[in-house]
Amino acid sequence: MSSEEIDTRTRILDAAWRLLEQQQGQGVKMGDIAKAVGISRQAVYLHFPNRTDLLIATLSHVDEVKGLDKRLAQLEAATNSTEMLRACVEIWGNYIPEIYGMAKAMLQTRDTDEAMAAAWDSAMNCLREVCQQIIEYLASENRLSSEWSVDQATDFFWSQLSITNWETLTKDCGWSQQQYIEKMTSMLLKVLVS
Amino acid sequence: MSSEEIDTRTRILDAAWRLLEQQQGQGVKMGDIAKAVGISRQAVYLHFPNRTDLLIATLSHVDEVKGLDKRLAQLEAATNSTEMLRACVEIWGNYIPEIYGMAKAMLQTRDTDEAMAAAWDSAMNCLREVCQQIIEYLASENRLSSEWSVDQATDFFWSQLSITNWETLTKDCGWSQQQYIEKMTSMLLKVLVS
DNA sequence: TAATCAACTTGACATCGTGTCAATTGACAC
DNA sequence: GTGTCAATTGACACGATGTCAAGTTGATTA
């Protein structure tokens, strides 16, 4: 029976997540989350000191449930650097739409909230490390185009994978998920690989 | 003497602009702008109905003072499509840092303000038209890489010129303005031109 | 059975920024 | 002198976050 009783903290995180995705990260207030859980607004503050910490905890929660780590671990299976780059774009590119609402909310608070900025930067740094590994792998196979240093190539690769870039291409330009991944992959290969 | 007396509306716009650039678009309140002009907060509302309209008017004001139109008119002088692309990246890329604070503030309010979203989209659409012209020019010279349709190439070109992309590369990755323009130019040429 | 404790509730309140309203002042024009 | 216009002062409403105090409820424990 203990599996029936999900603790309130988790229910809050699930509700926050659901609302954020439903509303694309727009206008999700503490009161809305509380209402969705069925508790009072103040009760939320018994579990999270403030909105920022709740959002950050939601990100960890989602990463855990969705298993980003596991997905990225698949990269090890790649037999060469370009395969790894392809796989990375596909895994990350397909992850973005699943976390878009939450990411959007975090990006919005980031500008005015020091703690959020730090949390976001640290999350994005994980992605950057993956990018860097791939670029280094590429360089070790002597396939990194001569115009790039490892650092700059990493910068470029990582910047292309930004959520706002995905947003521009899919939401503003109307690209399908498949188009995004295909175009992004072939573009990166063309630019980075000699 | 009439040239001495700058009207209050203009002084508000100048102050808003100055503060926005000074503070990189962060935390510029109506009261701050009023104080900078030397009038009461309420007096600002005698000239602009709300913050959004003030920001939008500031954008027009800056565009006018900085002469973006004039700068983009230089594109006509290009003798071929790739020269035009180069010139476009240089002109726009060098324009971004001059309007960054304002743009940042607009992007922030965009998410919660319908009117701002519309104004921003329309401003960005001007840039998009320039991008499209260049891609069409490229296509007319049979130099558009075969993997791209005109529309998709325009989408990609335009998305690369986004302010957030510039922000990521220069602010987060530490690229210099010159590096940004050089890398962006050579990347776009490599990807788009056959 | 009674005391205790944790989770939660209710209601009130502070803070901050935007936007509104009413009454007033001072200068300039006719 | 009267009207008008730009600006001023001060008060206030609103929405969202966050805090605080006092009370309820249900399960555990002495």
Side-chain angles (χ1 to χ4, degrees), chain B residues 17 25 28 40 85 99:
Chain B
W17 178 12
V28 177
S40 67
L85 189 149
I99 59 158

Side-chain angles (χ1 to χ4, degrees), chain B residues 32-132:
Chain B
D32 298 336
I33 297 167
K35 199 182 291 179
V37 179
I39 60 177
S40 67
R41 184 175 70 88
Q42 287 78 345
V44 178
Y45 288 98
L46 297 174
H47 299 273
F48 304 93
N50 51 53
R51 203 181 110 103
T52 295
D53 279 31
L54 168 52
L55 287 181
I56 294 172
T58 307
L59 178 62
S60 310
H61 180 61
V62 170
D63 269 354
E64 207 170 309
V65 172
K66 289 275 177 182
L68 177 60
D69 282 356
K70 255 188 191 164
R71 297 197 200 183
L72 284 173
Q74 294 173 11
L75 291 181
E76 301 303 325
T79 56
N80 62 55
S81 57
T82 57
E83 272 318 303
M84 195 181 259
L85 189 149
R86 292 188 123 90
C88 175
V89 174
E90 192 180 336
I91 291 168
W92 176 250
N94 280 325
Y95 193 60
I96 296 177
E98 304 189 42
I99 59 158
Y100 173 65
M102 214 182 42
K104 183 104 190 172
M106 293 184 79
L107 284 169
Q108 274 166 32
T109 33
R110 184 193 191 213
D111 293 313
T112 48
D113 189 316
E114 204 59 45
M116 180 60 89
W120 183 257
D121 286 356
S122 135
M124 285 305 101
N125 215 42
C126 296
L127 177 64
R128 196 183 202 286
E129 276 164 26
V130 175
C131 291
Q132 180 156 13

Side-chain angles (χ1 to χ4, degrees), chain A residues 8 39-40 42-43 46-47:
Chain A
T8 309
I39 60 176
S40 68
Q42 286 79 345
L46 297 174
H47 298 272

Side-chain angles (χ1 to χ4, degrees), chain A residues 85 128 131 135 144 148-162 165 184 187-193, chain B residues 156 160 165 168-169 173 175 180 183-188 191:
Chain A
L85 189 149
R128 197 180 200 285
C131 292
I135 296 296
L144 179 61
W148 293 102
S149 69
V150 168
D151 280 353
Q152 280 195 324
T154 303
D155 290 340
F156 176 70
F157 185 11
W158 176 68
S159 72
Q160 287 301 310
L161 295 185
S162 79
N165 200 27
M184 188 56 72
M187 182 275 288
L188 286 169
L189 289 173
K190 193 165 187 175
V191 172
L192 295 171
V193 181
Chain B
F156 177 71
Q160 288 301 311
N165 199 26
T168 304
L169 291 170
C173 298
W175 290 19
Y180 166 82
K183 285 288 166 194
M184 188 56 72
T185 305
S186 68
M187 182 276 288
L188 286 168
V191 173

